[in-house]
Amino acid sequence: MSADRRAEVAAGLDAVRRRIAAACADSGRDPDEVTLVVVTKFFPASDVRILADLGVTDVGENRHQEAEAKAAECRDLGLTWHFIGGLQSNKAAAVASYADVVESVDRSKLLAGLARGAHQRSHPVDCLIQVSLDPPDAGAGRNGAPVEDLPDLAADLASRDLLRLRGLMAVAPLDADPGEAFDRLAAIRRELLVDHPAATWLSAGMSGDLEAAITRGATHVRIGRAVLGERPRIK
Ligand SMILES: *Cc1c(COP(=O)(O)O)cnc(C)c1O
């Protein structure tokens, strides 16, 4: 483990923890209500080890092959692995075999595979529905399920053995004001909680907008660059 890299990651982590604490203080929330998920995509397993050593408990990955390999390499660390990327239905079972939390459930077609993966592992998988905050005309380019799909998708997910509907995940649209986007998300969440009162998790907020998300109720923030630096290569 390089001492330089460890110092760099420790500094990034410290800065992000301070930002989370400040946003919680601003909104009268307890920082223990907010879980930091460090997004390790494109970074090596050695960085995951440094993070675990620095007290990080949750990490996020967005591509199946990379996630699977890293989770296997770091199994001894006892981390909680979040899958946060676009999911193909033919990969859903495989993802559920190592991911503890699947944050990017956006259609019913994924559920059979996810449930199969959870059964093979004999372990429940926590699921978040990724809801789109994109404009209605975003079409297939949208990130997540259209809001109008939520009631059926949530009911379907909640009915599956070993899949636990925990709440929602969203990404603020690139060109939008994150505060406005997360206000809408908070309203969508209130609606979901009427039928699914246990679905209390809200994963929102990235390096650039974690404050806006925390003041609107985020329970999980997904932070890559602000902890680990710019990603080594482009997607
Ligand atoms: C990469 C990624 C993040 C982290 O983004 P940063 O800007 O590096 O903090 C968060 N959420 C999702 C879905 C991502 O793909």
Side-chain angles (χ1 to χ4, degrees):
M1 179 184 299
S2 133
D4 285 355
R5 181 59 177 154
R6 185 189 156 93
E8 198 170 63
V9 173
L13 196 57
D14 190 50
V16 166
R17 285 177 171 151
R18 283 168 197 274
R19 283 175 63 190
I20 293 171
C24 285
D26 276 352
S27 46
R29 299 186 61 199
D30 179 344
D32 288 345
E33 291 172 24
V34 180
T35 301
L36 168 61
V37 180
V38 178
V39 178
T40 49
K41 64 190 186 197
F42 298 99
F43 288 97
S46 54
D47 279 358
V48 179
R49 286 192 179 274
I50 291 174
L51 289 165
D53 197 48
L54 293 168
V56 168
T57 55
D58 290 66
V59 293
E61 287 283 336
N62 73 336
R63 295 183 312 165
H64 165 57
Q65 280 193 325
E66 180 181 349
E68 184 178 47
K70 242 180 263 179
E73 204 172 333
C74 298
R75 191 164 292 142
D76 59 303
L77 299 177
L79 295 167
T80 298
W81 290 81
H82 295 243
F83 191 82
I84 62 171
L87 256 174
Q88 292 169 266
S89 45
N90 62 348
K91 299 280 164 58
V95 167
S97 72
Y98 60 82
D100 305 290
V101 186
V102 177
E103 298 202 8
S104 42
V105 179
D106 63 354
R107 56 198 192 280
S108 285
K109 226 185 141 198
L110 300 171
L111 299 178
L114 290 172
R116 199 164 61 246
H119 275 282
Q120 279 158 4
R121 178 184 178 187
S122 304
H123 194 280
V125 174
D126 288 324
C127 296
L128 301 181
I129 295 180
Q130 182 175 358
V131 62
S132 169
L133 300 176
D134 300 311
D137 60 8
R142 81 174 96 71
N143 286 299
V147 178
E148 60 270 24
D149 288 4
L150 267 189
D152 287 351
L153 180 51
D156 196 352
L157 205 170
S159 74
R160 307 271 176 157
D161 268 359
L162 293 187
L163 299 185
R164 294 195 291 218
L165 173 63
R166 289 293 200 178
L168 297 176
M169 184 271 250
V171 178
L174 268 184
D175 47 3
D177 166 27
E180 184 273 336
F182 294 145
D183 279 340
R184 272 191 291 134
L185 179 61
I188 296 165
R189 178 202 203 189
R190 280 194 295 275
E191 190 99 337
L192 178 78
L193 282 168
V194 173
D195 286 330
H196 302 278
T200 53
W201 295 10
L202 185 63
S203 172
M206 312 187 358
S207 292
D209 57 17
L210 71 89
E211 288 85 359
I214 287 174
T215 56
R216 288 160 183 86
T219 61
H220 293 70
V221 291
R222 307 176 310 271
I223 311 297
R225 290 170 298 132
V227 172
L228 293 169
E230 289 306 318
R231 284 182 270 282
R233 50 203 165 82
I234 303 298
K235 222 187 199 173

